[in-house]
Amino acid sequence: MEITFLGTGSGVPSKNRNVSSLALKMLQERDEVWLFDCGEATQHQIMNTTIKPRKITKIFITHMHGDHVLGLPGFLSSRSFQSGESTVELYGPTGLKEFVETTLKTTGTHLNYPLVYKPIKEGIIYQDQDIKVSAKKLKHGIPSYAYKIEEEDKIGPLLPDRLKELGVSPGPIYETIKNQSTTVLPNGTEVHRENVTGSDIPGKRIAICGDTKPVDSLAQWVNGVDVLIHEATFIEADDQLAKDYSHSTAADAARLAKQAQVRYLLLNHISSRYQQNILEEEKTRLQSIFSPLQFVDDFTEFTVK
């Protein structure tokens, strides 16, 4: 899994930061890309990456503020001209369907692929045999959500020495044994997968939080995730502004990461009032609360390990 940040600013675009969007690339796992938020000019940002719009099959909107959705109609329209014919599923709060359909209708836009709307509420909103996505409501004046993506654990690696003890030679039989709980060999021997594989490989877990004030119950919900992506609209010195505008400070996010014992914190949705030197100073202060963390930039890429 790889994360590409397409827009890391808050409210309005700046010369250095576009408004909110990020891509979760799962090309090796399932040949798909999932988009989280789609602020204005997201499609322009995508053109500066290797992401192919036709690979984007699911779009998750955290909330309906313009800096998170105004790029969506344009992206959906352009996708029709970029070999995008597969269905796109749109997950988001109430109002998403009306916004998209009204915009497409009034602009005379016709898509050459189906849109499927998936209104969300708290709990599991998508699940298949490999992955699960859950949503949790946040606090931001209008309905705003966090999304948690959880891969299923993978079966551990085959142990050649144990297979050799059972008389199993390397070959296609290895794949059969890996894919079945019990395999009967030609000589009648039963091979139970659990006896010839190592420990399961834990699936990746990522939490992506929309705009929000601190939420007490969020720590339990994101507990132990590999990566927490959280807004950091303000630095701690501007705590009152964060309260006034229903946002979080970077320090709020760091305290959440510490309490939830996450592995890595990526700070996103950053006000354009802060220059890079201020963010570097803030990062140094935050590391006394939680580490590792980083303020992300547009086109920052992060591999989830």
Side-chain angles (χ1 to χ4, degrees):
M1 285 186 173
E2 295 181 334
I3 301 164
T4 298
F5 289 88
L6 300 168
T8 59
S10 67
V12 295
S14 67
K15 290 182 178 179
N16 298 318
R17 297 184 186 275
N18 197 49
V19 286
S20 293
S21 186
L22 68 88
L24 178 61
K25 297 186 290 186
M26 298 176 286
L27 297 174
Q28 292 185 351
E29 295 86 352
R30 54 199 298 144
D31 198 30
E32 292 182 51
V33 177
W34 293 358
L35 203 62
F36 290 80
D37 285 334
C38 192
E40 181 183 356
T42 291
Q43 64 172 315
H44 291 267
Q45 299 289 86
I46 288 173
M47 287 190 288
N48 291 307
T49 72
T50 59
I51 296 169
K52 295 179 173 58
R54 60 184 171 81
K55 297 287 187 180
I56 296 175
T57 58
K58 291 179 174 56
I59 301 175
F60 299 83
I61 300 298
T62 60
H63 64 293
M64 293 301 297
H65 277 157
D67 58 319
H68 294 256
V69 300
L70 288 180
L72 185 55
F75 168 77
L76 294 174
S77 175
S78 295
R79 188 177 181 271
S80 285
F81 298 98
Q82 297 167 326
S83 302
E85 298 179 355
S86 58
T87 298
V88 171
E89 296 180 348
L90 297 180
Y91 295 78
T94 301
L96 178 59
K97 180 178 180 180
E98 180 183 7
F99 164 69
V100 172
E101 290 194 343
T102 298
T103 307
L104 295 180
K105 180 179 179 180
T106 55
T107 57
T109 301
H110 302 282
L111 305 182
N112 65 353
Y113 58 87
L115 287 180
V116 177
Y117 295 93
K118 302 281 189 177
I120 63 170
K121 58 182 180 180
E122 285 197 320
I124 298 172
I125 60 172
Y126 175 80
Q127 187 169 16
D128 59 31
Q129 64 180 4
D130 299 316
I131 205 163
K132 174 175 67 177
V133 183
S134 305
K136 181 171 177 59
K137 197 168 186 179
L138 302 173
K139 295 181 179 179
H140 187 55
I142 68 170
S144 182
Y145 288 85
Y147 293 105
K148 182 168 59 177
I149 303 94
E150 300 174 275
E151 276 188 319
E152 293 293 328
D153 293 347
K154 296 180 176 62
I155 297 168
L158 288 170
L159 303 175
D161 288 345
R162 292 190 185 178
L163 289 166
K164 185 177 180 180
E165 292 172 2
L166 296 172
V168 182
S169 300
I173 189 65
Y174 271 27
E175 184 175 356
T176 302
I177 292 171
K178 186 76 176 283
N179 292 333
Q180 299 180 170
S181 58
T182 301
T183 301
V184 180
L185 302 179
N187 63 6
T189 301
E190 290 188 354
V191 178
H192 301 284
R193 182 174 58 198
E194 62 185 15
N195 296 329
V196 295
T197 55
S199 300
D200 285 352
I201 302 169
K204 308 294 192 303
R205 301 174 66 214
I206 303 167
I208 301 168
C209 297
D211 295 4
T212 185
K213 297 191 292 186
V215 177
D216 292 338
S217 60
L218 192 56
Q220 182 177 358
W221 192 73
V222 302
N223 185 66
V225 298
D226 296 294
V227 180
L228 171 62
I229 301 170
H230 198 284
E231 70 133 303
T233 308
F234 298 99
I235 63 173
E236 189 169 28
D238 292 324
D239 179 68
Q240 189 56 52
L241 280 175
K243 290 183 171 67
D244 292 344
Y245 291 99
S246 295
H247 280 290
S248 296
T249 66
D252 289 328
R255 285 187 284 267
L256 170 63
K258 179 181 180 180
Q259 184 181 357
Q261 300 180 47
V262 308
R263 291 182 58 196
Y264 208 100
L265 173 63
L266 300 177
L267 297 167
N268 191 22
H269 199 270
I270 300 157
S271 172
S272 60
R273 73 189 68 204
Y274 304 121
Q275 300 301 313
Q276 193 63 34
N277 64 310
I278 295 177
L279 296 180
E280 289 297 329
E281 292 171 1
E282 186 74 353
K283 178 180 177 181
T284 300
R285 286 190 289 269
L286 294 177
Q287 286 174 332
S288 66
I289 302 173
F290 178 84
S291 183
L293 61 81
Q294 72 178 98
F295 287 94
V296 296
D297 300 310
D298 287 17
F299 306 117
T300 291
E301 294 193 341
F302 185 89
T303 299
V304 185
K305 299 178 181 179

